[in-house]
Amino acid sequence: MKRVTYKYRNSHLEAYFWLIALVSLALSSPDKATHYTLCIFKNLGFDFCPGCGLGRSITFLFHGQFVNSWHSHPLALLAVIVLLYRVFKLLKKDINFTT
């Protein structure tokens, strides 16, 4: 039987943050029409922001609504891949499988 060992490091906090963010986006409802925004550009009155819609797009992606995801922000799939790769790189050296 294989045994999994894990050694915690403070550098793993970033990985936990990204995992919690992705899980919360996966569990949220993409159909909510309005919400409060933390976007500095929107709060300053600018209409264009290159990042706006990314969170909602990821939520659509996790719910299988690929067309809506693309229309909200075309880089959602790339963002999810990059974040999961970052989590993997942060955690991989401290998770060991032994026999």
Side-chain angles (χ1 to χ4, degrees):
M1 181 193 298
K2 290 199 178 220
R3 183 175 169 209
V4 178
T5 58
Y6 169 71
K7 182 177 182 183
Y8 173 78
R9 297 181 192 271
N10 285 337
S11 63
H12 295 170
L13 291 176
E14 180 188 349
Y16 298 144
F17 174 80
W18 291 126
L19 284 173
I20 290 169
L22 289 173
V23 168
S24 68
L25 286 172
L27 295 176
S28 65
S29 173
D31 298 324
K32 291 187 178 181
T34 60
H35 65 283
Y36 176 75
T37 183
L38 296 174
C39 177
I40 295 170
F41 295 113
K42 293 287 184 188
N43 287 331
L44 289 175
F46 294 101
D47 289 332
F48 175 74
C49 173
C52 280
L54 186 59
R56 188 166 188 207
S57 181
I58 292 172
T59 302
F60 279 128
L61 185 68
F62 283 140
H63 287 265
Q65 299 177 15
F66 303 113
V67 174
N68 288 337
S69 175
W70 181 263
H71 289 297
S72 291
H73 200 289
L75 297 178
L77 182 60
L78 179 64
V80 170
I81 291 169
V82 167
L83 290 175
L84 289 175
Y85 177 75
R86 178 69 179 152
V87 168
F88 174 75
K89 291 296 278 184
L90 287 170
L91 297 178
K92 81 171 189 172
K93 63 183 173 185
D94 295 314
I95 297 176
N96 298 312
F97 297 94
T98 58
T99 320

